[in-house]
Amino acid sequence: MADARFEDAAEGALSLRAESPEDLGVIATLVQDAVLPITEIVWEAKARRLALLVNRFRWEDKARAEAEGRPFERVQSLLVISDVTRVASSGIDRADRDLVLSILDIAWEAGEDGVGQLVLTLAGDGAIAATAECLSVDLRDVTRPYRAVSGAAPVHPE
């Protein structure tokens, strides 16, 4: 029997593209606290694409869930960085196939002639840097939302 979460994503599924630092800020907010096994990171050198299958909180639904008194939700989303010429990581044991990473932030560091680095900052002082010819990031939900284990949103100290 097929897993219903992987049928067509729910109506109103999130699908965003970032081509500016401001757009990327929206995506960075939506993937904050997302987790992913290291095995769900795929660097396709020929296609010049870095793809990450993340399990993220549905931050865009937080206020509505609280107002309706329903549990907070997660969803699996595909984060794709295009026009990537190089990928490097630090603070990550890539040999540990059981490693689960948590995304803290995503930022664009512009260089000369539009070339720059998209840096994913990870919990535990890890980072993934993708050198790209331009800023082009897509985030698309690929499953139906499902209840977060705790039913609550993460809390960030101010």
Side-chain angles (χ1 to χ4, degrees), residues 83-96:
D83 299 314
V84 176
T85 58
R86 182 175 180 268
V87 176
S89 64
S90 62
I92 299 171
D93 180 0
R94 292 184 293 177
D96 182 355

Side-chain angles (χ1 to χ4, degrees), residues 17-29:
R17 166 166 264 177
E19 294 179 339
S20 72
E22 294 78 20
D23 295 344
L24 185 62
V26 172
I27 289 177
T29 298

Side-chain angles (χ1 to χ4, degrees), residues 60-151:
E60 70 277 16
D61 188 52
K62 181 178 187 273
R64 186 173 173 188
E66 288 173 345
E68 294 175 1
R70 61 180 165 78
F72 201 51
E73 296 176 326
R74 283 185 168 272
V75 65
Q76 285 197 317
S77 301
L78 187 60
L79 180 68
V80 178
I81 305 162
S82 301
D83 299 314
V84 176
T85 58
R86 182 175 180 268
V87 176
S89 64
S90 62
I92 299 171
D93 180 0
R94 292 184 293 177
D96 182 355
R97 306 308 286 168
D98 294 324
L99 183 62
V100 176
L101 305 171
S102 179
I103 298 174
L104 299 178
D105 192 25
I106 303 175
W108 174 252
E109 298 174 358
E112 295 179 22
D113 301 328
V115 174
Q117 280 198 332
L118 190 97
V119 179
L120 286 88
T121 304
L122 307 170
D125 294 326
I128 299 171
T131 302
E133 291 183 352
C134 64
L135 175 55
S136 180
V137 179
D138 292 286
L139 179 68
R140 181 173 56 90
D141 291 347
V142 294
T143 66
R144 296 180 189 277
Y146 52 94
R147 184 182 189 276
V149 173
S150 69

Side-chain angles (χ1 to χ4, degrees), residues 7-39:
E7 293 173 3
D8 291 338
E11 184 177 318
L14 185 82
S15 182
L16 298 174
R17 166 166 264 177
E19 294 179 339
S20 72
E22 294 78 20
D23 295 344
L24 185 62
V26 172
I27 289 177
T29 298
L30 293 171
V31 298
Q32 181 179 12
D33 299 312
V35 295
L36 69 154
I38 197 165
T39 55

